[in-house]
Amino acid sequence: MKLLTQDNNQSSLRLQGQIVICPPDRLVSSVQHAMQMLTRDFATVLGVEPELVHASSEADIIIRYAVESDGCASHPEAFAIRYTQEGEHAQLHIVAHDDLGLVYGILHVSETVLGIQPFWFWADQSIAKRDAVVVECKSYDSPVPKVRFRGWFVNDEVCLIGWKEAYPPTREVWLPVFEALLRCGGNMVIPGTDLPKTGIHFDLAAEMGLWITHHHAEPLGAEMFLRAYTGRSASYNEAPELFEKLWRKAIEKQKDQKILWVLSFRGQGDKPFWENDPSYDTPEKRGEMISRVIYRQYDMIGEAVQNPVYCVALYGEIAELYKGGYIDLPPDVIKIWADNGYGKMVSRRHGNINMRMPALPSGEDQGRNGIYYHVTFHDLQASNHLTPFQASASFVKDEIERSFEAGCTDYLLLNCGNIRQHVYMLDMIRELWNTGTIETGAHLEAFVSCYYGEANPDIMALYRTYAEAAISYGPNSDDLAGDEFYHHPTRRLIGHWLQGRTAEADRGLLWATGEGTFAEQVQWFEQRSEEGHRSWSQWLATCEALLATLEGDEKHRVSDHLQLPGILHQSGAEGMLWVCRAYAAAAREEYAQAFVYASQSMWCYKKGLQAMREAEHDKWTNFYRADWLTNIASTVNNVDTLRRFLRMQGDSPDFFHWYKEYLMPETEKYIYLENTHRNPLSDDELASRLQTYFENN
């Protein structure tokens, strides 16, 4: 490393060849992980793995804990970059007062010096090899993040679970998750949802320096009651000692780690506890029970842990009870307010009930506050899981900045899903939790520049217009359909139909359609899916026109991160559309036509499966094989069942009638021999030929 002098008198360092790094005297596991990332990144960019030495005088880069003369800020996780020189030998110093500060400082150098972006792994960033990199010798002091505790809930992580053969997911899967979070400046995580306690996820997250927090349905990180005590009634009134035994065990296991203790009391399986205990039939009774349990958990932790950090998840029904004044909380807990799963800071929908109660603290609500926010969600209704968030960047900016204005800056937990599908929104919120605000246009330009090699205006336009293609299913700005909208309701419609219940509406779809007959529900979904087919077809055509002009890695990224979700939306909307038309045709007893429509639906849904397979290239092999939530394969099977049912209505028992009626030449219809003409056509072949017939007649 040599010191260079530029024309503007700004000194700079030229790094080339084998870089020499001096680690701190006390090498904790989190800093060791970050150093492994840095040495890997130098080897990737410069082609030579750095040498590690313990004599700082020999080093080019020194990683150490700060001393007073460094002038490094003392707020938690702060770091500074400093430069020194003796003769021609210059040194870059990464200094911090605490372990996570050193981690962030190391990753700051990786990003700003070597160009390694936070989502390099998940977005398949192209990292060019260079002969040398030049660094300006300009001191840097990290700013105070807007949010004190900021991180991800790795939730509904079926892609991560199914990606590799081993279960629960191994270190190989979790390392890039936690690395990306740290590169985003995150410092806390819920590492997965109800995974076996034998998995590596908790230990590795702690090893990498992250605070651990808990799912609102798993208070204190304790084992689920019914898993530990199968067959018992999950009633705190009946068996408080059994609940407390599980809580005490969880406290003992975690008391020496960095834990954000979540206090809560929900029912088993992430639902209100009174669904299993109907004696709690008033808000007063429910609020009193939740308050009593939370205070008991609070006291138990306080007895065992020094300076604990407490949180209470005001999620779903608990938020509604708290807002109503029925829940009493200890004064020093962080109250975590939650969006509705669609990005709006209001209470979430429960089945067909959608109260939309504001979910932010009022001006009179003193104390510490934070938020739990979704850019991906799974609700068996209309949410997004396989595709990026359908709301606009400006919508997300407004909601999160509004939560900051309401005082929610102590905690931001972001539901990140399976990471790969959501990098754009995750990157946006990275900037928000670090700086407190964002200019969405400038961010998008920087994002596309970082991950696509240049600020391609056509790629930027696809990101901007993605939300515009999403269809509205309700009157609110956040009532936008994600990929699950085209699958869960379709399977409900088919099930209701084939169960012979069409004389009455499907009550499980009233959240979308409102009251009416089943036929009216089908018509409602037909109208929405027709809108979706039209808007997504237009968007996808623009995307595919751009793809025709691209090549190499850039083409792969546009295909994986833009074309794939477009296909899932477009094919899903069209698949739903044909199911609705099949119902209308069957209602007219036009079963052959209905059979063709159902087949067209199945072929559309299969396009989604094929698109996911094509996105499983290179390291992503099998990434989508555990699609158990949106579950496109299940939709295909449901529609296949439907078309078999329809064929039985008019082509049974010999499955030759439609061939004879519509396809057989007139010259053969009345003189054919059964032994030469009775080989029934397959469903696909019959549907394809009937489709051609109906289109031409």
Side-chain angles (χ1 to χ4, degrees):
M1 182 184 291
K2 292 186 177 179
L3 186 70
L4 304 176
T5 302
Q6 306 294 332
D7 294 339
N8 60 3
N9 294 320
Q10 172 66 58
S11 297
S12 59
L13 302 173
R14 182 179 178 85
L15 290 81
Q16 64 185 77
Q18 186 175 50
I19 304 304
V20 180
I21 299 176
C22 178
D25 294 334
R26 180 173 62 86
L27 189 57
V28 298
S29 62
S30 58
V31 176
Q32 188 169 1
H33 273 284
M35 286 187 56
Q36 289 169 353
M37 298 172 204
L38 185 64
T39 56
R40 176 201 63 205
D41 296 344
F42 266 113
T44 300
V45 174
L46 297 181
V48 182
E49 187 165 323
E51 178 186 2
L52 300 182
V53 300
H54 293 288
S56 60
S57 60
E58 301 173 9
D60 301 312
I61 297 177
I62 299 174
I63 302 169
R64 60 180 175 80
Y65 292 93
V67 295
E68 186 174 348
S69 60
D70 292 317
C72 179
S74 59
H75 63 264
E77 301 160 5
F79 68 89
I81 305 297
R82 298 289 185 258
Y83 297 89
T84 60
Q85 181 188 10
E86 291 186 13
E88 288 193 353
H89 186 68
Q91 295 178 315
L92 184 158
H93 295 248
I94 302 170
V95 300
H97 290 291
D98 59 35
D99 301 338
L100 263 184
L102 282 183
V103 170
Y104 295 142
I106 291 167
L107 297 178
H108 174 81
V109 169
S110 172
E111 181 176 355
T112 59
V113 173
L114 300 175
I116 311 300
Q117 299 301 320
F119 294 100
W120 69 269
F121 179 90
W122 300 96
D124 293 310
Q125 178 192 355
S126 296
I127 302 172
K129 291 191 179 296
R130 290 183 273 174
D131 294 330
V133 293
V134 177
V135 189
E136 288 189 1
C137 294
K138 185 177 181 180
S139 293
Y140 175 83
D141 293 273
S142 64
V144 180
K146 179 69 175 180
V147 179
R148 173 63 185 97
F149 296 108
R150 50 208 180 272
W152 293 346
F153 180 11
V154 187
N155 184 218
D156 299 324
E157 67 280 20
V158 291
C159 295
L160 302 182
I161 289 172
W163 188 11
K164 309 296 180 182
E165 294 296 335
Y167 179 80
T170 63
R171 180 177 291 256
E172 175 189 11
V173 171
W174 288 111
L175 277 171
V177 174
F178 301 148
E179 177 180 338
L181 175 56
L182 288 165
R183 286 181 177 273
C184 289
N187 59 7
M188 72 168 174
V189 70
I190 301 179
T193 313
D194 195 29
L195 293 173
K197 304 300 183 185
T198 56
I200 190 68
H201 44 293
F202 279 105
D203 292 340
L204 183 59
E207 187 181 300
M208 294 179 74
L210 292 162
W211 289 74
I212 308 296
T213 191
H214 307 126
H215 190 303
H216 53 259
E218 298 177 293
L220 284 62
E223 186 176 8
M224 290 280 192
F225 182 91
L226 289 181
R227 185 166 286 137
Y229 304 110
T230 303
R232 295 293 301 262
S233 172
S235 168
Y236 182 75
N237 268 347
E238 292 181 14
E241 72 285 355
L242 297 183
F243 277 91
E244 292 177 16
K245 181 179 179 181
L246 295 177
W247 298 340
R248 191 168 287 108
K249 182 178 179 181
I251 293 168
E252 183 64 27
K253 181 178 180 180
Q254 301 169 88
K255 66 180 182 180
D256 297 322
Q257 296 178 325
K258 296 192 301 184
I259 302 295
L260 292 160
W261 299 92
V262 172
L263 317 177
S264 185
F265 189 62
R266 299 199 79 207
Q268 303 294 290
D270 196 13
K271 60 186 178 183
F273 73 87
W274 53 84
E275 289 189 12
N276 298 116
D277 196 341
S279 65
Y280 288 88
D281 54 0
T282 67
E284 291 82 2
K285 291 179 183 178
R286 295 165 179 175
E288 187 279 330
M289 169 59 83
I290 292 170
S291 302
R292 179 153 47 95
V293 169
I294 284 175
Y295 267 95
R296 180 61 184 136
Q297 293 169 347
Y298 179 91
D299 290 340
M300 290 175 68
I301 294 166
E303 293 167 2
V305 180
Q306 290 189 349
N307 302 314
V309 182
Y310 300 102
C311 310
V312 170
L314 299 179
Y315 190 70
E317 73 285 348
I318 296 180
E320 294 165 7
L321 290 168
Y322 179 79
K323 278 280 190 178
Y326 300 109
I327 291 180
D328 178 39
L329 299 175
D332 57 341
V333 302
I334 301 173
K335 297 181 290 295
I336 306 166
W337 304 83
D339 76 307
N340 63 349
Y342 294 81
K344 190 70 175 176
M345 294 305 299
V346 296
S347 58
R348 67 168 290 189
R349 182 170 55 235
H350 297 285
N352 295 321
I353 300 171
N354 195 8
M355 301 293 290
R356 294 184 67 85
M357 182 177 292
L360 284 175
S362 63
E364 298 78 34
D365 202 327
Q366 302 298 313
R368 306 170 71 187
N369 293 280
I371 63 171
Y372 170 40
Y373 198 79
H374 295 77
V375 295
T376 176
F377 192 44
H378 168 62
D379 69 348
L380 303 176
Q381 292 183 338
S383 52
N384 71 303
H385 175 68
L386 294 175
T387 58
F389 194 37
Q390 57 273 10
S392 67
S394 60
F395 173 89
V396 173
K397 163 191 164 73
D398 291 345
E399 286 300 301
I400 292 185
E401 289 183 359
R402 189 164 64 90
S403 75
F404 291 163
E405 291 168 4
C408 296
T409 57
D410 288 286
Y411 180 109
L412 197 167
L413 181 67
L414 181 62
N415 193 313
C416 65
N418 296 283
I419 321 296
R420 187 187 182 199
Q421 300 97 319
H422 311 294
V423 290
Y424 173 52
M425 282 294 173
L426 296 180
D427 195 70
M428 244 192 72
I429 294 174
R430 168 188 69 91
E431 187 165 329
L432 279 163
W433 73 27
N434 283 323
T435 68
T437 188
I438 193 171
E439 202 290 295
T440 57
H443 170 265
L444 177 58
E445 183 174 356
F447 177 85
V448 173
S449 294
C450 288
Y451 294 105
Y452 293 89
E454 60 176 344
N456 185 315
D458 294 325
I459 297 176
M460 291 168 60
L462 286 171
Y463 276 100
R464 273 196 302 269
T465 57
Y466 178 84
E468 297 171 12
I471 62 167
S472 297
Y473 62 84
N476 304 297
S477 61
D478 51 298
D479 291 339
L480 297 176
D483 50 274
E484 294 194 342
F485 179 82
Y486 302 110
H487 294 271
H488 295 291
T490 296
R491 297 199 293 265
R492 287 199 69 103
L493 291 172
I494 293 171
H496 200 77
W497 176 4
L498 298 193
Q499 290 163 21
R501 300 166 58 194
T502 57
E504 59 186 31
D506 184 340
R507 307 299 297 177
L509 294 174
L510 298 186
W511 61 269
T513 66
E515 294 287 349
T517 66
F518 181 69
E520 288 170 338
Q521 289 183 311
V522 174
Q523 289 172 358
W524 186 93
F525 278 107
E526 181 177 357
Q527 291 169 358
R528 300 292 88 72
S529 58
E530 192 167 19
E531 293 170 13
H533 178 231
R534 182 169 55 250
S535 64
W536 283 111
S537 292
Q538 292 170 352
W539 187 91
L540 189 58
T542 302
C543 180
E544 291 175 345
L546 172 61
L547 275 169
T549 70
L550 304 176
E551 56 186 21
D553 291 342
E554 188 177 30
K555 185 169 187 173
H556 271 305
R557 278 189 289 277
V558 170
S559 178
D560 292 348
H561 294 275
L562 291 165
Q563 183 191 33
L564 171 61
I567 291 173
L568 295 181
H569 279 288
Q570 188 271 343
S571 62
E574 188 176 4
M576 173 181 272
L577 177 62
W578 288 121
V579 164
C580 294
R581 290 181 177 173
Y583 178 78
R588 299 189 299 268
E589 298 188 355
E590 297 172 359
Y591 292 112
Q593 183 69 78
F595 169 77
V596 171
Y597 288 158
S599 297
Q600 289 177 269
S601 172
M602 192 181 81
W603 298 334
C604 289
Y605 284 121
K606 279 188 170 182
K607 291 178 187 175
L609 287 178
Q610 181 60 31
M612 288 198 298
R613 298 292 82 81
E614 291 174 2
E616 292 180 319
H617 54 82
D618 303 312
K619 70 188 181 193
W620 302 112
T621 299
N622 294 324
F623 187 74
Y624 292 104
R625 69 172 163 184
D627 168 32
W628 303 322
L629 301 184
T630 299
N631 208 334
I632 299 176
S634 177
T635 308
V636 169
N637 290 335
N638 273 251
V639 180
D640 193 23
T641 298
L642 171 63
R643 71 171 184 166
R644 291 168 185 263
F645 169 82
L646 289 168
R647 190 171 181 181
M648 292 184 71
Q649 305 311 302
D651 206 30
S652 176
D654 298 316
F655 299 96
F656 180 71
H657 176 71
W658 286 343
Y659 174 78
K660 178 182 177 182
E661 181 176 357
Y662 299 108
L663 303 177
M664 180 178 280
E666 288 293 324
T667 56
E668 297 293 321
K669 280 187 179 181
Y670 307 104
I671 61 172
Y672 70 91
L673 297 177
E674 291 192 4
N675 65 320
T676 59
H677 284 78
R678 282 297 185 95
N679 182 18
L681 297 178
S682 69
D683 290 337
D684 275 340
E685 185 177 357
L686 178 62
S688 179
R689 293 176 65 174
L690 284 175
Q691 180 184 9
T692 301
Y693 172 84
F694 289 130
E695 287 173 352
N696 294 329
N697 290 277

